[in-house]
Structures are given as C-alpha cells and as structure tokens.
Amino acid sequence: MSIASTAARPSNATRDIPGPARPLAPTALRPLPLSEVRLGEGFWLDRQHANRDVSVPDGLRQLHDAGNLRNFEIAAGRAEGEVLGPVFADSDVYKWLEAAAWEYAREPDESLLADQLRITELVAAAQQPDGYLNTVVPVREGRRYGNPQRDHEHYCAGHLIQAAVAQKRATGRDDLLNVAVGVADHLVREFGPASATGSAGDVDGHPVIETALVELYRETGTRAYLDLAAWFVDARGHRTLERFGGNSTYLSDRVPVREATTVEGHAVRAVYLTTGATDVAIETSDSGFISTLAAQYEHMAVTKQYVTGGLGSRWDGEAFGDPYELPSDRAYAETCAAIGAVQWAWRMLLATGDASYADQIELLLFNGFLAGVSLRGGDYFYVNPLQVRHDAHADDERTPKNGRLRWFGCACCPPNIMRTLSSLGGYLATSTADGLQVHQYVPGTLRAATDAGQLEVSVTTDYPWDGRVRIAVQNAPETPVTLSLRIPLWAEDATLDGAEVEAGRYAEVTRTFAAGDELELVLPMSPRVTRPHPRLDAVRGSIAVERGPLVYAFERADQPEGVVLDDVSVDPESLTEAEAPALVPGLVGVSLRTRDGAELTGIPYFAWANRGADDMRVWLPEA
Amino acid sequence: MSIASTAARPSNATRDIPGPARPLAPTALRPLPLSEVRLGEGFWLDRQHANRDVSVPDGLRQLHDAGNLRNFEIAAGRAEGEVLGPVFADSDVYKWLEAAAWEYAREPDESLLADQLRITELVAAAQQPDGYLNTVVPVREGRRYGNPQRDHEHYCAGHLIQAAVAQKRATGRDDLLNVAVGVADHLVREFGPASATGSAGDVDGHPVIETALVELYRETGTRAYLDLAAWFVDARGHRTLERFGGNSTYLSDRVPVREATTVEGHAVRAVYLTTGATDVAIETSDSGFISTLAAQYEHMAVTKQYVTGGLGSRWDGEAFGDPYELPSDRAYAETCAAIGAVQWAWRMLLATGDASYADQIELLLFNGFLAGVSLRGGDYFYVNPLQVRHDAHADDERTPKNGRLRWFGCACCPPNIMRTLSSLGGYLATSTADGLQVHQYVPGTLRAATDAGQLEVSVTTDYPWDGRVRIAVQNAPETPVTLSLRIPLWAEDATLDGAEVEAGRYAEVTRTFAAGDELELVLPMSPRVTRPHPRLDAVRGSIAVERGPLVYAFERADQPEGVVLDDVSVDPESLTEAEAPALVPGLVGVSLRTRDGAELTGIPYFAWANRGADDMRVWLPEA
C-alpha cells in the first residue's frame, strides 16, 4: 500500500497554479489549483513518471524528426525547404508545449523548461506582424482562411492558446501568452461580432478554438475572447462549411449546439465542440445551455459509448455511429476522443456537481484513455478496439494489429496524452465554499480553500487494485466543513467508516474536522459481469468483465495454448480474481472458464498490447 | 405459372451472339450465346423490362445532366467549359453503352441503337490520334498516366473495351471496336512487355482492364491483348502503387494474385481483378492458377460474404473486412461488388463446372445484386446493408436511410446494374460437347449446340416463388445427350421426376431425348432458419430467414403498429409462409412470432425499400 505521507508537499505552494479550465463565473464546484494537489506513489504517479521520462522527451524528438519544428524555422525565415506534415502540424507542437508546461507545474525541471522556452521563442518568431500564425497553410495552400473546412487554422490557434495559458499558469511567464494574445486579437478582428472582413461567417472545420478562447478570457479577462468563443459556438450548426465541400454531420455543423440532442460526426471534433460550448455556458451562467449539454452527454454515454468509455464507432470519418452501433472489432474509439470527453465531463462536473461526470472521468481515464499509451510510455494507439481477431490484417498505421507506434503521420494523439497525464492532478478534486470534494481516488494530498479556511487531507490507497481509501485530515478549519467522497455508480455496498453509502452520488461528511481525523471508504472490488443493452447487436450474447473502475481484456498471451479467442464461449458464473502478469505493480487479473473447461485470464484493458499486439477481446460470448 | 411457349424464339437466330465472357481456350463448360437463350414471362423478364423501360433511358438522361457526355464533347472540341464529375466519369458512359448493346441483343430497338451509335461517334471523336482516350485526366490533371493509383485511366479504357466488345457481338458493328482497338494498341505500346516507355512498371489503381483486354483478345484474336492482360495481373501485388501514395491492401497490390489466399481491400477492385485473373487463367489453360483462384473464392464466400451474397463490410475504403467481420448495420456490400462477383463466379463456373459457382450466381443475383435497384427501375442503392436502425442518421448519399437515389456523384452502380440485367441471359446455361447445363431456373428457351446436334428445351416455372421447374425438350439429336440441372446446395430433398436428387451438384439425365419429352424438377420451397457461424460476432444469437434462393428482410412497413424492429426477438419455431404485399407478382412472404406474440412479416430482401426506406433487419435476435 502506498503511504501518502511519503509524498512531498505541493511544490509551488507560494503561488496558485490553476490547472486546465478555471471558471471565472460561479460554478457548483471549483477546481483545485494544481498547486493544491500532490500525487503520491501509486498507479497514476507511475503513469506520470512514464510520461515525463519517456513520452515527453521522445515526443520532442519526434516533432523534430517529423519536421513540425522545422516548419516553424521556415516560417521564421531561419531555414529553407518544404513544410512537412499535415495541415495541422503546428498543433502537435502546441500540445507538446502544453504538456511541458503542466509538467513544470507538476514537478519543475529546468531542462524541460529550457526546451519549452526555446520552442516558445521559435513559435513567436514565426508569427506574422498582424498576429496570424500558421506555418503550413499560407505556404502550402497560398491562402489564409481560404478553406476553413480543411485548413485547421483555428484549430491550430486553439492549441496554441491552450499551451500559452498552461505556460502562464505553470511558469508565470508571458512569452507564449503574448503570442497567443496576438493570435486571438487577430481572430477577433477577422471573425465574429467585431469582424470587419468577409470571413465573418466562417467557423473552423475542427473545433478547439472555442474552449481555448474561453480559457484565454479566464487568464486575461479580455471579454472579446469569450464573446468570440460564444460566437463560434453559435455560428456552428448552420451548414456553412458545405460551401467548402464539407459534410455537415462530420463537422458537427448540421445542428446548432443549442438545439442538438446528441453528438454526431467526427468524434473528436464533436466533443471538443461541446467542451467549448460548456465553457461558454459556464462563463455566461447559462443554465439552460448546461441542461442541453447534459442531455447530449447522457445520450452519448447511453447510446454511443463503449464499455471502455471509448467514443466513435466508425473508421469512416473517425465518427460516432448511430445509437447502439458499437462494434468491438472496428471500434475507432480514438484516444483523442476519450481525452476530449474527459475535458467535457470535467466542465460538466464543475457546472453541475453531478457525480456521474466524475464516474465518466474515471471510466475514461482508466480505460479508453489509458489504453492509448504503453505502460513504459512512448508507444501509442490511435484507435482502441475491443476486439482483435486472430486473422486481422493490418492495412493502416492506426490498426492495433500493427502494435503500438512511437508516432503517427497524423500525430494528434501522442501529445494529447502527454498534456492530459501531466495535468492529471487538475481533475481529481474540487472545492466549494464549505468543503472539499474528492472525485478520484489517488494517493496524495489535496488542499481546499473553504470560506472557513484551509482543509487539507491526505489520501492513502492502492486503488484501483484495492477498494480501501483512507482519508486523513492534515489541517482543517475550526468550524464544520463538508468532505464529499464520490461513490461510483458501480460501487454497490460501498461503506464509509463501516456504514453503507449510496452508489452514484457523493457520501458527505460534515463536521468540524481536526488534524489526525481519518475516514475509511471501502469500495467493493469483486469482479463483475456486464451484459450489453439488448439493442447492442454487435455484442449480443456476450459478457464483459469489470472490476472497480477497470474493464478487462482477454489477450492471447495470457491464455492456455490452443485456445483461440475467436472461438471461445465462457461461463459467467466462473468469474473470479486470478493471478495475472504483473504488468504494473499490484495488478489484479480475472479468470473465466470456457465451455471446454479452459481457464481464461483477463488483464485490465489499459494494460493490453504491452507485450506486442495480438488477439484480444473485451466481450466474450456467453456459453 | 408462366407458359414458356408464349415466349418468342431467340430473335437473332441467324447470327451467333456471344454474351459476356466467351472463352477461346477449352473450358469445362461453354457459355450459351445470347442468341440461344430467350427469357419467357416471369420474374427476371420483369426485371429486364424495368431495366429497358426505366433504368436505361433514365440513365442516358443522367449522363447528360451530370456532364459525362458533355465531357466527351469538350474532348472532341465540340464544346467548351470545365469537365465535370469524378476522374472516372467516362466509365459510366461506357457501361451505359455496354448495357445498350446487350439490350439490343436481347430485343432490338432502333431508337436505342441510334442513341448507342450517336454516343459511339462522340466517343470516337474524343479519341486522340495516338489512341489515348480520356476526357477528364489530361484536362483536369494535365497528365497522362501520371498517377495510376488515382487517375483510373486503365479502368476507363477497360470499360470502353467491354462496351466495344458488347457492341460488336450484339450489333455486329465495328464502330466502338475500332476505338477500343486504338486504345488497346496504345496501352500495348505504353505498358507491359512490349512497352518502350517509363510507364512499363505501372498498374492501374482500379482493375477491370485485365478482363476487358482478354475479352478483346477473344473478339479480335490479337494475342498482344491477352499478353498485356496477363502482364497486368502479374505486375500487381508488388506494392508499386505505394509510389503514388496508394495503400497496397486497398488496391489489391499487396500480394500477387497467384500467391493470394483471400481477397482484400476495396471489394470491387478485388473481384474485378480476380475476374480478369480468371480470364487469363482460362485463356492460358493454367489449371494451377484456377485452383488458386478457387481457394480465394472459397475463402471469400466462407468468411467475407454476407448471407445476402453482399461483399465488403467496411465503409472505410469500401472494403472487405477481416474474416467474419460482417456487421449488418454498416455492411457496405456495394452493388458493384455483387456484380463483379457474378462475373468472377461465371468464369470460375466455365473453368471448373463446379455447381457451387452457379449457387453463388443465384445468391448474388436474387439478393445482394437485385436489392441495388428498385422494382420499377431507375432508383438505386449503392450500399446494401442488412440492418437499418430506427434512429439511423443519413449523412451520406449512399446511406440507405436516405432512400434510393436516381443517380450518385459516384455513379458506378446504376449503369453496372443496367449492363448486368440486359446481359442476364448469358449467365443462365452452358453447353458441352454432349449436353446442356441449366444453372439458373428462368422460364424461356435454351438451345445448345452439342457435337451430336442441337438440343433445345423450354423451361416453365414460377421460380423463385414455386420450386417446380418443367423442362420440355423441343428439339434433340438422335443420339444420347446429357441434360444437367443444378440442384442448389440449399435444396435438400429435391426431386427429379419423383426421385430424390443430391443437393449441391448437378442432376444429370443422359438419354436420347425426343421433342415433347419432359422432366419435372421440384425444389423444396419451405422457409428456412439460418444461423450464423459462431465467429460471426455481429449477429450472434440471431437468425435469418431464407426460402429457396431468397433471403428475407423485415421492413418496418409490414410490421404491426408499435413494433420497433430494433427491439424484437423472435421464435424460430414460428416461421411460416405468410401473406405479404405483392410488390412483384407471386411474391411469397414469411412470418415470425416475437417473444411478445407479435407477428412479423418478412419480404424478400431484394424487394425492400420500394415503399420508402425505413427500419429494416435481415438478422433477428432469437427469443
């Protein structure tokens, strides 16, 4: 068991470091600043160390080798040659910069800071005098904003802005923020309500600018950025991108966000858009809009989400399918879509305080998201299927049968994973005027500023392997405050200090705490059989196995010789915990007996494909 | 019941009119010339009349309106403006010309002939002095053979050659043949063994030139065309198209045809290629190659074909999936792929005499192919799924939820359907030195030239509604000959003149026939429950209904009010024949009872979406 007391105190305690998404307007819950969260040894800190030690440094090499950085040198007039990569190549640099910034907040490293500032300087040098900044489109296409459906100029600007906000929050420096403000001011002049040009009616093919502009508003206080974000949200859904040859469904441009009842089209675009819309709704205190977005989220979670949390069932268009169209083999479930959904769910959680969004974040992080990166870091999946057949043929670099790759021609996922892991502390807990809410059970310390004063707790747990979570009060005000602990919907029969607590909501303890007080939460960790909704044709007659927040996968490497996973059927009654390879410390496996009496071994889905990529199934036919 | 004696005699009896694919080399079976086949009133003649009355004339209007014909006027210097349509726009004109030619063979019509010749003259006028002919690529791309992966120049040439061969056979005229010979001679100079240019290593992204060149060899006797076809077949599979940015799997360019064990990638390309390869194998009397192709066909039929015969389970790349990857909802099952498989199966049948290929042709024609066109003619499906959910959203013109369309931006399927229906007579029967083989049961007359003399029979049947088939000898040699009747693999307990005959092979009757002799074949027509292979995850726990050669579909319009097809489960024991809307004369419906006691009505799959397109399922969960 990890000992929380070995964790260092928050490292930047002298300065408040907001994490991703810091609302200015009142919300049900307030995020804890990154400076108030410290992860102790355990599952997620191991993931963060792999991210720091392998993924982030290797990502910088990849950005160099793939030409993304050189594109900036060319744009800055420091190099000559052809710009390389996809039209949105800049965005991968920005996502890496964001990861490096959050990593500095997590645990300062001067070498990584130097890299960050060196690239920041290069980015600044590539900016045009009027604020426009894109290294690919003007050179390769000879235009600015000429084809918003295709060119991703706002998308790149959005990721730049997010990186700049992260740098400002994490390091206190204005270097990249000044560039971002230049870009944003340029956009304000060119688009939206204040625009004086003919581009005023255009929205970008790939959302992200919306949430980015709201964050820049939060950081700078410049209202025009919020107004432009709101304008982008509402300008969408009117099929304007069809003028440029775009498919309205694919581009989330068929129905205005305020009228939509579901998410559709390209999954990443769709959830980035709803994330930005939620930010706009929060900052405009528009509760009706929040309700609309809540209905969309629910429709997505009920009808368009895999048991792993994965989103997007179609390779064609990297898109959401129709309701209940969720094939295991051709699941797209792009890693970036899981990340976008974490961002959306986090904002919905802040806006509503509804525990189901924290459940979603847990589901996504432990499964659909984490499967996207190897345990050692630096090897990635772009798509995350729930089944790989024995005879599957790899005809695309994204096909999992190819195994994990160090990088992709379209490399959106790797740096997106990096920035998510480095900012993970920002998604664990929140505060209110009168208390602290613990959403995710990660060992470490959490410090909330309540109206009555600081409430600091340490969390000790071997979660997700063990369901016992000890919360020890380190420091508390001398008046009553409330400590709220999420009881996941799957956690039936959970107990808090021995008393049963209801699943799917927060267990609240209100009292005058004193340092040394302890609470013990026990979440049931027996493996569970999950059966599909009757409309879910693709896995009819099959079961999945879950344990705690983890979905399990049956990978060929762990099965008895001669067992072909394509052909098995299993007895659900035989489900037990079992020995499994210790791919991460403490890993708990599961076992199921087949009709033929063979014992199958399952490992957590996030851990698959760390010994090569081979046959794998999440859903197994019931005998 | 149709009365065969009402059918007119073959119309061009004075001249032999070969249909599609007339081998020169010896084969197990020889096709009956179209002039020796006459369809009587019944199911397929109705389809041919709809084709003649609606599809073909409307197709000509569409080719005009979409700009395909105008492209030729521009290329001929008779018009100015921008060429329109996809890079392969010419091919749709050629497929229409082929349909018009076969239609002339079926039942001469001087007005349609005039249209055919007018367009032929226009095509000839667009040809370059050196034989090159393409109205789009040189103008739009400014190149010849500059990107074989993308530009479809051989593909268009192939369809031109096929149309020219059809015109020659059907009308006896050389107009289009002269153009085709010019194109083919140009290809011989530019590609393959005799080439003197740098293009020699290139194959086209989209096969069809291979089968076309073999047919031109058959028609002209020019060996260079066969040699070039063989060269194209063998030049493929070496990943040469990757030089042009192509995906080798998608383009059937990953594995040489002679080494392949399955079909993969873009389904239409794959089966067009194997069709051409089979033609090459036939004309080079390469029995080893035929065996290789037979193994590929079997792997396709067992692991990659829908119960409807449909081929291609992925929208992404219009492609074959992995073995047993056959989702109902996202089945692509392009109409053109079914057509290509008919062509391939026909050649394999000629080469081997194996009844399973005739079974395949029956399956394809009655189901996967015929669902692609409305019963009235002129309205098409590009893709042919086996399930349309209630909440399905149409985001693409190919999505069946949109209903049938009169034409498509990529209009490959409509004229492909036309040419198939107008040449249908060519796929029904064959001859050998000593007899006649009846593969498909269609009312009409068949006349075989055996070594002993002419054997002519009339076929009287209400197939596919009724399983009784009466074969009456009209004319026979005075020595013993063999009449072979295919007993479909599904036809257990079939009888011939009261005696049981084995399913999955030919029932043979060898005797000295005399005019007036009759045989009565009775094929069992009880509806059957079909269950999926255990690896077929997408329809586990579900059943399909078949009756005779027909697969059934359950369409919303025929179900009791309140029944949502997405939610039903059925009792297989309740399956019976039932009343159903008479969408075509004689239609026999089926009935299944749900767990809730509702009676569901099924109609043949080919007849679905003739009353709008709505919820539909082929596979129904078992209660």
Side-chain angles (χ1 to χ4, degrees):
Chain A
M1 181 168 286
S2 308
I3 303 304
S5 56
T6 66
R9 297 292 297 265
S11 60
N12 293 282
T14 54
R15 195 171 56 76
D16 192 57
I17 303 180
R22 180 194 54 171
L24 293 186
T27 48
L29 308 177
R30 302 189 299 234
L32 286 200
L34 288 174
S35 41
E36 307 302 299
V37 177
R38 186 78 188 170
L39 273 69
E41 280 177 25
F43 183 86
W44 283 112
L45 191 64
D46 287 348
R47 306 280 73 73
Q48 290 190 318
H49 285 170
N51 189 52
R52 173 196 65 191
D53 295 340
V54 181
S55 300
V56 171
D58 195 54
L60 186 56
R61 281 189 291 272
Q62 298 288 347
L63 290 169
H64 180 272
D65 294 349
N68 304 58
L69 292 172
R70 186 175 165 81
N71 288 352
F72 282 94
E73 289 174 7
I74 294 167
R78 298 175 184 177
E80 296 200 339
E82 202 177 334
V83 294
L84 297 176
V87 74
F88 46 85
D90 292 357
S91 65
D92 297 333
V93 174
Y94 301 144
K95 276 190 278 193
W96 185 91
L97 281 173
E98 186 183 341
W102 296 131
E103 192 57 28
Y104 188 82
R106 200 186 65 76
E107 190 173 300
D109 174 279
E110 294 312 312
S111 160
L112 186 59
L113 178 64
D115 285 335
Q116 185 189 162
L117 295 180
R118 176 173 54 81
I119 297 171
T120 297
E121 189 277 334
L122 178 61
V123 168
Q127 188 168 32
Q128 301 300 302
D130 66 352
Y132 179 89
L133 174 49
N134 190 298
T135 74
V136 179
V137 175
V139 179
R140 191 184 293 163
E141 310 293 342
R143 63 192 178 206
R144 274 188 184 186
Y145 309 127
N147 189 335
Q149 186 263 123
R150 189 184 167 283
D151 287 350
H152 290 69
E153 285 157 295
H154 293 183
Y155 173 77
C156 289
H159 279 300
L160 166 64
I161 291 167
Q162 289 182 324
V165 169
Q167 185 180 93
K168 173 67 177 174
R169 290 179 184 166
T171 71
R173 297 186 66 123
D174 290 322
D175 305 54
L176 199 57
L177 194 71
N178 289 336
V179 179
V181 164
V183 166
D185 289 346
H186 175 75
L187 291 175
V188 167
R189 287 194 301 275
E190 295 284 331
F191 295 88
S195 158
T197 80
S199 309
D202 295 340
V203 294
D204 197 71
H206 200 314
V208 90
I209 187 67
E210 302 82 357
T211 183
L213 283 168
V214 177
E215 281 278 89
L216 189 62
Y217 155 71
R218 289 167 176 159
E219 201 54 39
T220 63
T222 306
R223 177 83 196 185
Y225 305 151
L226 174 61
D227 292 344
L228 182 58
W231 187 88
F232 279 140
V233 166
D234 290 326
R236 209 171 192 92
H238 304 283
R239 299 179 174 273
T240 59
L241 290 166
E242 290 179 2
R243 277 187 291 138
F244 303 98
N247 177 303
S248 294
T249 302
Y250 171 80
L251 298 162
S252 291
D253 193 29
R254 190 179 69 88
V255 181
V257 187
R258 289 177 194 274
E259 297 170 22
T261 55
T262 187
V263 287
E264 65 180 22
H266 187 271
V268 178
R269 293 172 204 241
V271 295
Y272 279 14
L273 176 63
T274 50
T275 297
T278 306
D279 275 326
V280 168
I282 286 172
E283 296 304 348
T284 57
S285 300
D286 188 339
S287 61
F289 198 7
I290 290 289
S291 298
T292 298
L293 290 158
Q296 293 172 28
Y297 201 111
E298 185 178 0
H299 190 262
M300 174 182 83
V302 172
T303 73
K304 300 184 177 182
Q305 188 170 39
Y306 285 95
V307 68
T308 57
L311 298 167
S313 58
R314 295 183 183 174
W315 276 66
D316 187 53
E318 305 186 307
F320 284 111
D322 288 322
Y324 301 104
E325 178 196 323
L326 292 166
S328 292
D329 47 7
R330 293 293 283 176
Y332 201 74
E334 183 176 339
T335 307
C336 285
I339 292 169
V342 168
Q343 295 178 1
W344 185 18
W346 177 244
R347 286 156 177 79
M348 293 301 293
L349 177 63
L350 297 179
T352 67
D354 181 337
S356 69
Y357 296 111
D359 278 2
Q360 272 282 319
I361 290 170
E362 177 173 73
L363 169 71
L364 289 157
L365 287 177
F366 272 115
N367 303 283
F369 162 72
L370 194 56
V373 59
S374 62
L375 296 171
R376 70 161 206 106
D379 316 281
Y380 306 97
F381 275 151
Y382 192 116
V383 308
N384 297 281
L386 284 74
Q387 176 179 17
V388 176
R389 287 198 175 77
H390 186 60
D391 294 332
H393 166 63
D395 64 346
D396 188 295
E397 66 169 10
R398 295 165 294 174
T399 308
K401 190 81 176 187
N402 281 321
R404 298 176 180 277
L405 297 187
R406 282 183 64 192
W407 211 246
F408 300 89
C410 170
C412 51
C413 298
N416 217 359
I417 293 168
M418 294 172 208
R419 68 175 182 151
T420 303
L421 283 172
S422 58
S423 62
L424 190 76
Y427 295 104
L428 306 183
T430 56
S431 68
T432 53
D434 60 359
L436 169 68
Q437 300 80 41
V438 184
H439 305 292
Q440 308 301 334
Y441 297 112
V442 176
T445 56
L446 305 167
R447 198 162 50 202
T450 72
D451 285 1
Q454 201 176 66
L455 173 62
E456 180 178 345
V457 302
S458 70
V459 179
T460 309
T461 184
D462 254 351
Y463 199 80
W465 313 118
D466 189 285
R468 281 168 296 167
V469 181
R470 205 174 75 230
I471 313 279
V473 175
Q474 307 289 323
N475 191 9
E478 294 178 355
T479 56
V481 290
T482 300
L483 196 50
S484 301
L485 306 177
R486 178 181 59 99
I487 312 303
L489 190 59
W490 52 260
E492 283 176 31
D493 307 321
T495 60
L496 179 59
D497 287 341
E500 273 201 26
V501 284
E502 195 180 335
R505 56 183 298 283
Y506 292 89
E508 298 181 351
V509 180
T510 304
R511 71 166 86 131
T512 303
F513 288 100
D517 283 1
E518 286 197 8
L519 299 176
E520 190 182 54
L521 176 67
V522 179
L523 300 172
M525 283 286 170
S526 297
R528 319 186 290 280
V529 168
T530 300
R531 290 189 166 81
H533 187 283
R535 286 193 178 183
L536 225 168
D537 299 287
V539 291
R540 173 170 294 107
S542 301
I543 61 165
V545 174
E546 296 180 89
R547 181 182 179 278
L550 301 176
V551 177
Y552 278 70
F554 294 79
E555 202 175 5
R556 191 184 187 189
D558 299 318
Q559 312 317 325
E561 204 166 337
V563 166
V564 177
L565 283 169
D566 294 17
D567 296 327
V568 300
S569 61
V570 297
D571 172 14
E573 298 294 323
S574 68
L575 176 63
T576 58
E577 289 186 7
E579 286 285 309
L583 298 166
V584 298
L587 185 148
V588 176
V590 297
S591 171
L592 273 171
R593 197 173 316 116
T594 71
R595 189 178 39 190
D596 308 321
E599 296 285 341
L600 304 186
T601 301
I603 59 169
Y605 177 71
F606 73 75
W608 93 277
N610 278 281
R611 296 163 290 176
D614 208 335
D615 310 7
M616 182 276 292
R617 295 182 89 162
V618 169
W619 291 98
L620 297 172
E622 198 166 338
Chain B
M1 183 166 286
S2 308
I3 305 303
S5 57
T6 64
R9 298 292 297 263
S11 59
N12 293 281
T14 54
R15 194 171 58 75
D16 192 58
I17 304 180
R22 180 193 55 168
L24 294 186
T27 48
L29 309 177
R30 302 190 298 236
L32 286 199
L34 289 174
S35 40
E36 307 304 298
V37 178
R38 186 77 187 169
L39 273 69
E41 279 179 23
F43 183 85
W44 282 111
L45 191 64
D46 287 349
R47 306 279 72 73
Q48 289 191 317
H49 285 170
N51 190 50
R52 174 195 65 191
D53 296 341
V54 181
S55 299
V56 171
D58 196 53
L60 186 56
R61 282 190 291 275
Q62 298 287 350
L63 290 168
H64 180 272
D65 294 351
N68 304 59
L69 292 171
R70 187 176 165 79
N71 288 354
F72 283 94
E73 289 175 8
I74 294 168
R78 297 174 185 177
E80 296 199 339
E82 203 177 334
V83 294
L84 298 176
V87 73
F88 47 84
D90 293 357
S91 66
D92 296 334
V93 173
Y94 301 144
K95 276 190 276 192
W96 185 90
L97 280 174
E98 184 183 342
W102 296 130
E103 192 58 27
Y104 189 81
R106 200 187 65 77
E107 190 173 298
D109 174 279
E110 295 312 313
S111 159
L112 186 57
L113 178 63
D115 285 336
Q116 185 189 162
L117 295 178
R118 176 172 55 79
I119 296 170
T120 296
E121 188 279 330
L122 177 61
V123 168
Q127 189 167 33
Q128 301 300 304
D130 65 353
Y132 180 89
L133 174 49
N134 189 298
T135 75
V136 179
V137 175
V139 179
R140 192 185 291 162
E141 310 294 342
R143 63 191 178 206
R144 275 187 183 187
Y145 309 127
N147 190 336
Q149 186 262 124
R150 188 184 168 282
D151 287 351
H152 290 69
E153 285 157 295
H154 293 183
Y155 173 77
C156 289
H159 279 300
L160 166 63
I161 291 168
Q162 290 182 322
V165 169
Q167 185 180 92
K168 172 66 176 175
R169 291 179 184 166
T171 71
R173 296 187 65 124
D174 290 322
D175 305 54
L176 199 57
L177 194 70
N178 290 335
V179 179
V181 164
V183 166
D185 289 345
H186 175 76
L187 291 176
V188 168
R189 288 193 302 275
E190 295 283 332
F191 295 88
S195 157
T197 79
S199 309
D202 294 341
V203 294
D204 198 70
H206 200 315
V208 92
I209 188 67
E210 301 82 359
T211 183
L213 283 169
V214 177
E215 280 278 87
L216 189 62
Y217 155 70
R218 289 166 178 160
E219 201 54 39
T220 62
T222 305
R223 176 82 196 187
Y225 304 151
L226 174 61
D227 292 343
L228 183 58
W231 187 87
F232 279 141
V233 167
D234 290 326
R236 211 174 190 88
H238 304 283
R239 300 180 174 270
T240 60
L241 291 167
E242 289 180 2
R243 277 187 291 141
F244 303 98
N247 177 302
S248 294
T249 302
Y250 171 80
L251 297 163
S252 291
D253 193 29
R254 189 178 69 90
V255 181
V257 188
R258 289 177 194 273
E259 298 170 21
T261 55
T262 187
V263 287
E264 65 180 21
H266 187 270
V268 179
R269 294 173 203 240
V271 294
Y272 279 14
L273 175 63
T274 49
T275 297
T278 306
D279 276 326
V280 168
I282 286 172
E283 297 303 350
T284 55
S285 300
D286 188 340
S287 61
F289 198 5
I290 290 289
S291 298
T292 298
L293 290 159
Q296 292 173 27
Y297 201 111
E298 185 178 0
H299 190 261
M300 174 183 82
V302 171
T303 72
K304 298 185 179 182
Q305 187 171 40
Y306 286 95
V307 69
T308 57
L311 297 167
S313 58
R314 296 184 182 173
W315 276 66
D316 187 53
E318 306 185 307
F320 284 110
D322 288 321
Y324 300 103
E325 178 195 322
L326 293 166
S328 292
D329 46 8
R330 293 292 284 177
Y332 201 74
E334 184 176 339
T335 306
C336 286
I339 292 169
V342 168
Q343 296 178 1
W344 185 18
W346 177 243
R347 287 157 176 79
M348 293 301 294
L349 177 62
L350 297 180
T352 66
D354 182 336
S356 69
Y357 296 110
D359 279 2
Q360 272 283 318
I361 291 171
E362 176 172 72
L363 170 70
L364 289 156
L365 287 177
F366 273 114
N367 303 284
F369 162 70
L370 195 55
V373 58
S374 62
L375 297 171
R376 71 162 205 104
D379 315 283
Y380 306 98
F381 275 150
Y382 191 115
V383 308
N384 297 280
L386 284 75
Q387 176 180 19
V388 177
R389 286 201 176 75
H390 186 61
D391 293 332
H393 166 63
D395 63 347
D396 187 297
E397 66 171 10
R398 295 165 293 174
T399 308
K401 190 81 177 185
N402 281 321
R404 297 176 181 277
L405 297 187
R406 282 183 63 192
W407 210 247
F408 300 89
C410 169
C412 50
C413 298
N416 217 358
I417 293 168
M418 294 173 208
R419 67 175 183 151
T420 303
L421 283 171
S422 59
S423 62
L424 190 75
Y427 296 104
L428 306 182
T430 56
S431 67
T432 53
D434 61 357
L436 169 69
Q437 301 80 41
V438 184
H439 305 292
Q440 307 302 333
Y441 297 112
V442 177
T445 56
L446 305 167
R447 199 161 50 202
T450 72
D451 285 358
Q454 201 175 66
L455 173 62
E456 179 177 347
V457 302
S458 70
V459 179
T460 309
T461 184
D462 253 353
Y463 200 81
W465 312 119
D466 189 283
R468 280 168 298 168
V469 182
R470 206 173 74 231
I471 313 280
V473 175
Q474 306 290 321
N475 191 10
E478 293 180 353
T479 55
V481 290
T482 301
L483 196 51
S484 302
L485 306 177
R486 179 180 60 99
I487 313 302
L489 189 60
W490 52 260
E492 284 177 29
D493 307 321
T495 61
L496 180 59
D497 288 341
E500 273 201 26
V501 284
E502 195 179 334
R505 57 182 298 282
Y506 292 89
E508 298 182 352
V509 181
T510 304
R511 72 165 84 131
T512 303
F513 289 100
D517 283 2
E518 286 199 5
L519 300 175
E520 189 180 56
L521 176 68
V522 179
L523 301 173
M525 283 287 171
S526 298
R528 317 185 293 280
V529 168
T530 300
R531 289 188 169 81
H533 188 283
R535 285 193 179 184
L536 226 168
D537 301 286
V539 292
R540 173 169 294 109
S542 300
I543 61 166
V545 174
E546 297 181 87
R547 181 183 179 278
L550 302 176
V551 177
Y552 278 69
F554 294 80
E555 203 175 6
R556 190 183 187 190
D558 298 318
Q559 312 318 325
E561 203 166 335
V563 166
V564 177
L565 282 169
D566 294 15
D567 296 327
V568 300
S569 61
V570 298
D571 172 14
E573 299 294 322
S574 68
L575 177 62
T576 59
E577 288 187 7
E579 287 282 310
L583 298 166
V584 297
L587 185 149
V588 176
V590 296
S591 172
L592 274 171
R593 196 173 317 115
T594 70
R595 189 177 41 188
D596 308 322
E599 296 285 341
L600 304 187
T601 301
I603 59 168
Y605 177 70
F606 73 75
W608 94 278
N610 277 280
R611 297 162 291 176
D614 208 336
D615 310 7
M616 182 275 292
R617 294 183 90 162
V618 168
W619 292 97
L620 297 172
E622 199 166 339

